[in-house]
Amino acid sequence: NLIFDNAAQYGGGIDADESNPLIINNHIFGNRVTDSHLRHLAGDGGGISIFNSSAEIYNNTIHHNAAQRRGGGIVTQDEDIETHSMEIVIANNLIYANSVIEQNGGGLCLRERGTIVVRGNTVVANVAPTAGGILMSGDLLEIDFLNNIVWENIAPTAPEGITSAFVVADV
């Protein structure tokens, strides 16, 4: 599929909300999100937004998408921490030249709780004020991060490649 030149308040190209999508072999480009006050954080996920969902994202080309707040290429987020925990696989994708205007995760913004596998991706030339390439943060977030290329991302105020900020909850 070609998913391009779309505009939305979240998930410019694809928005998965309380679902279990398989996103495979797509070309996702030129999509954008803007900010507003809706159910989940608007302005997130220029290319793909995964919200309170599990997902498998394989073999996609995700580029030249723009987000107002987080995740120019992809944002994952789980706010339903009492009843839901995401299981997400992001593998063998080319994620490049995506941008974020206000916050973080130019290429990927992986937030909140769950298990996330990030393997074999190329994340290059993405831009954000912080975490130009990848932001990984959350409460009880488990990440399997292996064999990725993260290169020449831009973030003028914080690490350009990979930024991790985890909160450890009391058990």
Side-chain angles (χ1 to χ4, degrees):
N1 297 301
L2 293 176
I3 302 168
F4 67 97
D5 201 22
N6 298 290
Q9 293 175 341
Y10 39 82
I14 296 173
D15 179 44
D17 188 343
E18 296 183 4
S19 60
N20 188 20
L22 173 61
I23 302 169
I24 185 168
N25 295 328
N26 297 286
H27 191 164
I28 303 166
F29 64 99
N31 302 291
R32 59 201 172 281
V33 291
T34 58
D35 203 3
S36 73
H37 303 287
L38 296 175
R39 181 171 179 263
H40 60 276
L41 296 175
D44 293 353
I48 300 172
S49 174
I50 305 295
F51 182 76
N52 287 348
S53 300
S54 292
E56 297 177 69
I57 304 170
Y58 297 107
N59 302 320
N60 298 284
T61 301
I62 302 164
H63 67 95
H64 291 94
N65 299 290
Q68 184 74 28
R69 296 171 7 112
R70 297 183 187 102
I74 300 172
V75 67
T76 65
Q77 185 167 291
D78 188 351
E79 290 187 345
D80 189 7
I81 61 174
E82 297 298 321
T83 60
H84 190 268
S85 182
M86 298 184 308
E87 293 183 16
I88 295 176
V89 177
I90 301 171
N92 302 319
N93 298 285
L94 174 58
I95 302 166
Y96 72 94
N98 299 288
S99 62
V100 171
I101 296 168
E102 292 178 12
Q103 292 184 23
N104 48 46
L108 296 170
C109 183
L110 311 174
R111 302 186 63 228
E112 304 306 331
R113 67 185 272 142
T115 301
I116 300 178
V117 175
V118 182
R119 289 191 176 171
N121 299 286
T122 300
V123 181
V124 298
N126 298 287
V127 178
T130 59
I134 300 172
L135 172 72
M136 299 181 287
S137 70
D139 181 20
L140 302 174
L141 187 67
E142 179 182 324
I143 298 211
D144 178 356
F145 192 83
L146 184 66
N147 293 331
N148 297 285
I149 297 170
V150 181
W151 184 52
E152 287 196 0
N153 296 285
I154 299 169
T157 62
E160 295 177 335
I162 302 169
T163 301
S164 62
F166 295 100
V167 176
V168 179
D170 292 333
V171 179

